[in-house]
Amino acid sequence: MVVGVLRGVVLNRDRERVMIMQQLKGFYTQFLREPLWFKALILTTLLLSIVFSSSTFSEQGNYRSISKLAIAIFFVAYGVKLRGNRKVSIVFIFLALISIYLSWINLDFANIEH
C-alpha cells in the first residue's frame, strides 16, 4: 500500500515537470514568433536590468535606477502585448509603476552631473 502511494506521488511529480516543460516550450515558441524589434526590446531590457542590478554597480544609485527603469520597460512591453487578457495586463502595468517608483527613489540627485 505504501509503495503504491509513493509511486503515485512520484508519477504526479513527473507529470508536473512535464507540464512545466511544455509550458516553457510554449512560451519560447511564442517568443520566437514575435517581431524582431519586440525580441530586441525584451532581451535588451532584461539584460540591462540584470547587469545594472549586479553587485558591481550596487554602490551607485543611478545604475540601480537604470536597472529598475529597464525592467519597467520590460513590464510595460508585456503589459501592452497581453492587453487581450485584462487581468494579466493590469498586473504587468502595476509592476511597471512599482518599478518606476522604486527607480525614482533610488535616483541619486546629488551626484547627477550637469
Side-chain angles (χ1 to χ4, degrees):
M1 180 73 176
V2 174
V3 174
V5 171
L6 291 178
R7 283 186 192 158
V9 171
V10 171
L11 289 177
N12 285 337
R13 286 184 185 165
D14 289 340
R15 286 183 191 144
E16 289 175 6
R17 288 180 186 149
V18 169
M19 288 175 53
I20 291 171
M21 287 304 295
Q22 287 174 347
Q23 287 177 342
L24 289 175
K25 285 180 185 177
F27 289 142
Y28 180 70
T29 56
Q30 178 62 32
F31 180 76
L32 291 178
R33 292 181 190 153
E34 298 296 338
L36 183 61
W37 66 267
F38 186 81
K39 288 189 267 192
L41 177 72
I42 293 300
L43 292 175
T44 303
T45 56
L46 195 58
L47 184 65
L48 281 174
S49 177
I50 291 169
V51 167
F52 285 132
S53 66
S54 71
S55 61
T56 307
F57 300 105
S58 65
E59 294 179 11
Q60 298 154 342
N62 292 334
Y63 289 117
R64 287 184 293 179
S65 181
I66 291 171
S67 170
K68 288 177 180 54
L69 280 177
I71 203 67
I73 293 170
F74 176 86
F75 287 143
V76 166
Y78 267 107
V80 170
K81 179 189 175 299
L82 299 173
R83 66 183 177 268
N85 188 341
R86 183 177 231 101
K87 290 179 184 177
V88 173
S89 180
I90 289 172
V91 168
F92 274 117
I93 298 299
F94 181 71
L95 289 172
L97 291 174
I98 290 173
S99 298
I100 291 170
Y101 175 73
L102 291 173
S103 171
W104 183 260
I105 289 173
N106 284 331
L107 192 59
D108 188 10
F109 289 108
N111 291 329
I112 295 178
E113 297 178 18
H114 290 29

